[in-house]
């Protein structure tokens, strides 16, 4: 009898030990897996694949409009902004946030009111069927101006994603064609809890490319609206001429800049001098503060919609880096400076344990400028709720600002301490 | 009796619990180690160090030849390519893959047929004895043209590595002097299993530097072959003159660009305008598709052989990042956009669960261009086997392409939905 | 009786299994936490927050002086260097290392002897009260030249941090206003043990901006000392004129470069041509070797004080990456090439198991140059103690160097093997 009990207890104890083994992101092995086995398990369950549809449909009417946009005081740009309304005055850069739940059927009816340019929409990071992927001449024909087009797909994986045009992508994204796609997890406990969230889009552009009558550096100045198709075609034609004349091999005489016929459709040259740096469509001091709850937890979804790497530094706190490209990391890590590249997303969590006004800015000095003048560009502040009234009183457009006071300066708070 | 059994069972159960503890990359502690202890254990066993030699020798005859190379349709460059043969028509950029097993004795007999330039070979990431490290004037004298030189070393660690010249490195690597060195692990189970693999070399260059008769931007145009030594010496002499005359201190009159004698050997100035962006030696649309097994696992070894960071985005899938600089990560992570810097390698695994044609491209807009024209540059596609015939039919050089059809366009597949 | 013993043993065995579960960085749960729970636990204990003060005070008198500084042989720059002494000949770039213990009260008395410029000090990554954070016009008024100012804060978190000016930051950091702040942990066992450590500051600059009489590219040459306030004000006034005249909208005639009044205080334009690349204030071949203990462990604290990303490659070894932004990683990883962005810090550990002289350099070719000439820039060497005498004999200023021998060349060591 004793022996039978002993054997029973032995088996149970080994099994109990195994139950306490390492947690992997995939179904748990009886023992902690080797790195190779861990990778194999993860590959069997890529994020989002096989998600259970919710049975819900979220429909969005997404328009594209021409708009003017003040980037920083005195600097106005002509851009293309998305809107959920056909009223062009509601267009914004970045475009509207589309927020759905993982497993929802997402339906986006797209219509551009900007004459003469084609577009598509790409759902960066989402596992869509390929015919919904938005790549011109590969997965679809581009959508002409004025023509309706509908995208539909089951949202997956969960996390922070974004949508943008994929026709002449660098140019059209610079014009403003991007917005956030936030896919909530089905299980709210999947993400660490937070008290407040903010989405921060990073971007750079050539302000002068987008000014009326002043095309990009390197192209001939042209009069008239650079955004109408006739003007664009004129620049294309001029470029073809230039390409065959400007530089030739000194020995053989053959043109060293070839014609543009390596592909059925190529776009006018786009040579960008990046002199303007944006967070959520504005440059300092016109960036919006990120209001932070005293003693609470702030989640920031950071998206690089530009063409450059950025090195974002937060004063006074370390950030907990929790998600990469929408997916929760098994092993989050602390950082006070976050390096992020074009297309990437990082979610970070910050605990509000140090009340104050804290700079959050690109540590790349070139990018803290408006047209080479500092301060400017990719700079904003985390402002604690307890200091909100002071800072808001000084914000752009306030009487304090009109009186020449620094919009970011505490009225007297920093004299304390 | 019962008590003795009870004590025995107690000990066994605690031990059984410990067996189920965390797996570290190093010998396992009875309990999960603190991060400091984990690091200490890892440092006691750096990757590759102390590997058991296999007793096998792998010998490679590696030649360097001048070659012409079509980067994208109509854009031909003169380059230097490696080959395993003395026949110059077999030279390639990137050079041939050298594949060995960890612990093999690798013997590389190097011979350059390019007149007038010195070279070395460096085995980036490998633990070689320092006299095999290939650093000119530090670990060896450079190897003159036409002279044999043999490198030999025990291959370690396992993983994805690469070889390149280390004389006037930026210039010689731009000329094409690089190739993959794949070191297979001794234990095949060390890596997660995969069904197919592909190596992707990323690179950028100044196409006009390498054109006959047209040296780099900023240098005087010269007639004749820019690759012969007389021409190179002429440019050097001109540069020394320029340096002493062009810019002088306005107040003191002393030259602000010093002579070049801070080191016994310095090289002619190399000022690069990066306007051409390559994957495995070609720019879109001449990049090769990455054929992906439906339902299988693709492993991609990604190597940045250039001078810039790249932000590689794959459509329709998250990639599992498994290896950094050849070494398996304890904790792989998911990414749809991979930031990679010069010299780095990342291995990623992709599960083929979303049939289609999927762009894999640098999200840095400047790099999706051929000489400022989009589309081009650092763009390719993952093409599923089930769609292979359609896409291949349209590839460069096919009749479909001759008929003006987009080489990347499915014949009609994207009209499905 | 047997049943009661069996029950007892059963409970003990399950508990024993749990004791062997995964170690998290925060208080340990009885079972390995899910990633969301792990993040939540970590957020409850951000690094440094709630540290127990040591009761010790560390006082530093920190001066700023003008200085001349030879970056590489023949290339002298005028810079601003910190010192712990009022004797200007003791100023250095980087500035002096401030080394304290976590929980110490740090008191820094700052005084600048450079006429006409304002400054602040920012403690990058430290959890200071916001009025100690050093952001001009946000947390304090800037400190005029010649005026004392005292910062004081409890040092936390532990790790590798740095201090720098935050007035006209890119410009003032380029002038040399940075140094290391090393915060030792209270528990020495918190970090993995090492035998030797070295701090490596990475930086880039425009050497010609800082030459007497030669302002930055793009600005009009001016005579006289560019560092005195009258000259600086002259450049500012000229810029305002330029801005209103140089580029105007071709259609509307309005100036496209606005005036600079979007903020109460803006600084003269600073347009940098980065042509000089430094490790600890010098460019190759004037960089200092990193002497490495044979068979021992070297810890390197790497800090990017510049405006660019760097891709640091070490020959002959993989580095164990242990700390990010001062904080120990739960899961260190191996790398032979480290990508680091402005403001970031990485600590790496290297085991000295491969005696030799090993290059440690930026793999970005542009940065391995002095004014476009290679070799130069961001390159140094790890030199093993056993080879120290040979290499030191050839260092800059030695008779070997005067005889035209390469300062980095082993006298004959590389002929062995």
């Amino acid at each position: 009898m004793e022996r039978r009990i002993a054997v029973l207890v032995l088996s149970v104890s080994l099994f109990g030990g195994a139950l306490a083994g390492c947690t992997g992101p995939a179904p748990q092995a009886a023992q902690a897996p080797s790195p190779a086995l861990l990778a194999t398990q993860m590959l069997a369950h890529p994020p989002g694949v096989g998600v259970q549809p919710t049975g819900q449909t979220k429909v969005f009417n997404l328009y594209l409009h021409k708009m003017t946009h003040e980037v920083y005081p005195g600097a106005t740009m002509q851009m293309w902004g998305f809107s959920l309304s056909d009223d062009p005055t509601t267009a914004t850069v970045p475009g509207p946030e589309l927020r759905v739940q993982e497993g929802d059927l997402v339906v986006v009816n797209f219509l551009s009111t900007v004459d003469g340019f084609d577009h598509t929409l790409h759902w960066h990071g989402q596992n869509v069927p390929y015919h919904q992927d938005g790549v011109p001449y590969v997965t679809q024909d581009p959508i002409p101006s004025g023509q309706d087009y509908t995208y539909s797909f089951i949202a997956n994986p969960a996390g922070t994603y974004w949508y943008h045009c994929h026709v002449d992508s660098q140019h059209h994204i610079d014009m403003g064609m991007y917005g956030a796609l936030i896919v909530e997890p089905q299980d709210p406990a999947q993400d660490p809890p937070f008290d407040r969230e903010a989405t921060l889009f990073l971007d750079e552009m050539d302000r002068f490319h987008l000014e009326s009558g002043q095309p990009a550096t390197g192209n001939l100045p042209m009069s008239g609206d650079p955004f109408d198709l006739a003007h664009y075609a004129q620049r294309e034609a001029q470029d073809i001429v230039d390409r065959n004349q400007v530089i030739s091999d000194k020995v053989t005489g053959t043109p060293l800049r070839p014609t543009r016929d390596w592909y059925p459709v190529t776009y006018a040259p786009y040579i960008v001098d990046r002199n303007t740096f944006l967070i959520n469509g504005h440059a300092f001091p016109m960036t919006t503060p990120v209001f932070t709850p005293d003693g609470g937890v702030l989640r920031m979804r950071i998206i690089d919609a530009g063409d450059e790497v950025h090195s974002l530094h937060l004063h006074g706190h370390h950030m907990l880096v929790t998600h990469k490209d929408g997916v929760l990391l098994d092993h989050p890590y602390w950082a006070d400076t976050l390096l992020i590249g074009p297309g990437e997303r990082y979610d970070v969590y910050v605990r509000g344990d140090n009340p104050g006004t804290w700079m959050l800015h690109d540590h790349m000095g070139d990018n803290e400028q408006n047209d080479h003048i500092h301060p400017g560009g990719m700079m904003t502040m985390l402002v604690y709720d307890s200091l909100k009234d002071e800072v808001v009183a000084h914000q752009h457009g306030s009487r304090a600002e009109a009186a020449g006071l620094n919009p970011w300066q505490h009225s007297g708070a920093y004299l304390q301490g």
Side-chain angles (χ1 to χ4, degrees), chain A:
Chain A
M1 178 67 164
E2 295 83 16
R3 277 199 207 93
R4 283 198 298 277
I5 289 172
V7 166
L8 174 65
V9 175
L10 182 67
S11 335
V12 173
S13 64
L14 283 171
F15 183 64
L19 281 176
C22 283
T23 300
Q28 300 188 23
Q31 287 196 22
S34 68
L37 184 56
L38 177 58
T40 306
Q41 289 173 345
M42 291 173 77
L43 264 167
H45 301 272
V49 175
V51 71
Q52 197 65 288
T54 59
Q56 304 247 327
T57 302
K58 303 269 167 63
V59 182
F60 302 94
N61 296 322
L62 194 64
Y63 298 84
L64 186 73
H65 302 296
K66 276 190 188 176
M67 58 182 284
T68 53
H69 180 72
E70 189 181 28
V71 176
Y72 57 89
T76 298
M77 301 171 71
Q78 292 196 42
M79 301 189 77
W80 297 338
F82 285 110
S83 170
L84 294 172
S85 154
D86 61 359
D87 174 359
T89 67
T90 64
T92 57
V93 174
E97 172 188 285
L98 308 182
R99 188 173 287 249
V100 301
Q101 192 173 43
E102 189 181 21
D104 282 348
L105 177 64
V106 180
V107 176
V108 178
N109 302 312
F110 173 65
L111 179 69
S112 170
T113 69
V114 176
D115 281 340
F117 288 89
D118 298 343
H119 304 291
T120 60
L121 291 177
H122 171 60
W123 316 96
H124 185 117
Q126 287 284 285
N127 300 327
V128 301
Y130 80 88
H131 47 80
Q132 300 298 318
D133 197 44
V135 180
Y137 304 111
V138 178
T139 70
Q140 65 171 100
D141 286 329
I143 307 155
S145 157
Q147 183 176 299
D148 282 295
Y149 193 92
T150 295
Y151 289 92
S152 69
F153 55 90
I154 297 288
N156 80 98
T160 302
Y161 297 85
W162 62 302
Y163 60 92
H164 60 82
C165 183
H166 222 289
V167 173
D168 200 13
S169 358
Q170 182 182 28
H171 181 206
H172 289 206
I173 293 173
D174 280 4
M175 293 300 295
M177 291 190 72
Y178 58 91
L181 171 61
I182 308 298
V183 182
E184 304 267 27
Q186 288 181 355
D187 174 10
Q190 181 175 306
D191 278 341
F194 53 93
D195 298 298
R196 190 174 303 169
E197 63 169 287
T199 298
L200 271 65
F201 262 107
L202 312 179
D203 194 15
E204 336 84 19
M205 54 184 63
D206 180 351
R207 198 166 70 75
F208 305 109
H209 171 72
L210 303 175
E211 291 281 337
S212 163
Q214 191 74 10
T217 308
N219 296 325
L220 298 175
M222 303 250 168
S223 61
D225 183 347
F227 309 127
D228 73 37
L229 190 60
H231 173 246
Y232 190 82
Q234 189 181 4
R235 265 205 298 147
E236 287 212 2
Q238 183 66 44
D239 174 71
I240 290 169
V241 167
D242 292 345
R243 281 175 174 275
N244 286 301
Q245 291 184 352
V246 174
I247 299 179
S248 295
D249 187 298
K250 298 280 177 195
V251 173
T252 66
T254 53
L256 288 177
R257 290 183 181 274
T259 59
R260 289 164 41 187
D261 62 355
W262 62 76
Y263 199 67
V265 178
T266 58
Y267 300 94
Y270 185 63
I271 303 170
V272 184
D273 168 35
R274 284 182 281 272
N275 48 45
T276 306
F277 306 92
L278 313 181
I279 299 177
N280 287 340
H282 290 91
F284 186 87
M286 213 160 162
T287 42
T288 307
V290 182
F291 293 107
T292 302
D294 294 69
V297 174
L298 169 73
R299 172 180 185 168
M300 289 191 286
R301 304 175 186 263
I302 303 169
I303 309 176
D304 186 346
D307 297 303
E308 290 185 357
V309 173
H310 297 285
S311 201
L312 263 197
H313 172 50
L314 173 63
H315 287 214
H317 309 70
H318 274 67
M319 304 173 276
L320 186 67
V321 183
T322 54
H323 297 72
K324 157 68 173 146
D325 290 345
V327 182
L328 185 62
L329 291 167
D330 290 350
H331 289 268
Y333 57 93
W334 294 101
D336 60 57
T337 308
L338 179 76
L339 190 67
I340 181 169
E344 290 195 287
R345 287 87 63 218
Y346 280 100
D347 287 42
V348 304
Y349 282 50
V350 178
R351 208 185 78 168
D353 53 28
N354 196 357
T357 302
W358 302 99
M359 278 189 69
L360 172 63
H361 67 99
D362 194 347
H363 219 277
M364 294 176 159
D366 295 8
N367 304 347
E368 299 177 89
Q369 300 176 350
N370 295 328
D371 195 28
H372 303 296
I373 299 284
H374 177 85
M378 198 170 285
M379 292 168 48
T380 189
M381 305 273 178
L382 254 66
V383 176
Y384 274 61
D385 287 348
S386 53
L387 291 154
K388 181 173 179 171
D389 292 345
E390 288 191 52
V391 173
V392 168
H394 289 86
Q395 275 293 287
H396 180 65
S398 68
R399 268 185 267 167
E401 201 215 14
L405 292 172
N406 171 358
W408 288 101
Q409 178 177 307
H410 297 228
S411 56
Y414 66 63
L415 299 175
Q416 302 167 23

